[in-house]
Amino acid sequence: MLRPAMSEMLDNPQECYAFVVAVAKRAREIADEAEEEHDILEEKPVRLAVDEFAEGKSALRRE
């Protein structure tokens, strides 16, 4: 289970789908960047992406 919980990071519970998509996109970017630079990740890309959202380094685009 991911910590912090998704509900703790979202203001509106209806944004869950958008949040999951945003995390997946960011995780793909992290994995691609690591592959290009030949880096070995200590954590899984999804974990790193969730941490970025929790710390405010990445944000959900509200259109």
Side-chain angles (χ1 to χ4, degrees):
M1 183 179 294
L2 295 176
R3 295 282 184 234
M6 198 166 51
S7 60
E8 294 174 9
M9 290 185 274
L10 297 177
D11 297 330
N12 183 354
Q14 295 174 343
E15 295 177 335
C16 290
Y17 180 78
F19 178 74
V20 170
V21 170
V23 168
K25 285 182 180 180
R26 181 62 188 130
R28 173 53 62 194
E29 291 173 358
I30 291 169
D32 289 345
E33 289 169 5
E35 185 176 338
E36 287 175 9
E37 297 173 9
H38 302 290
D39 287 341
I40 296 174
L41 298 174
E42 298 292 323
E43 296 279 340
K44 293 186 178 185
V46 172
R47 168 85 266 162
L48 296 171
V50 168
D51 288 344
E52 285 185 8
F53 278 91
E55 295 169 3
K57 293 179 182 176
S58 294
L60 192 64
R61 289 188 201 154
R62 293 176 172 94
E63 298 172 4

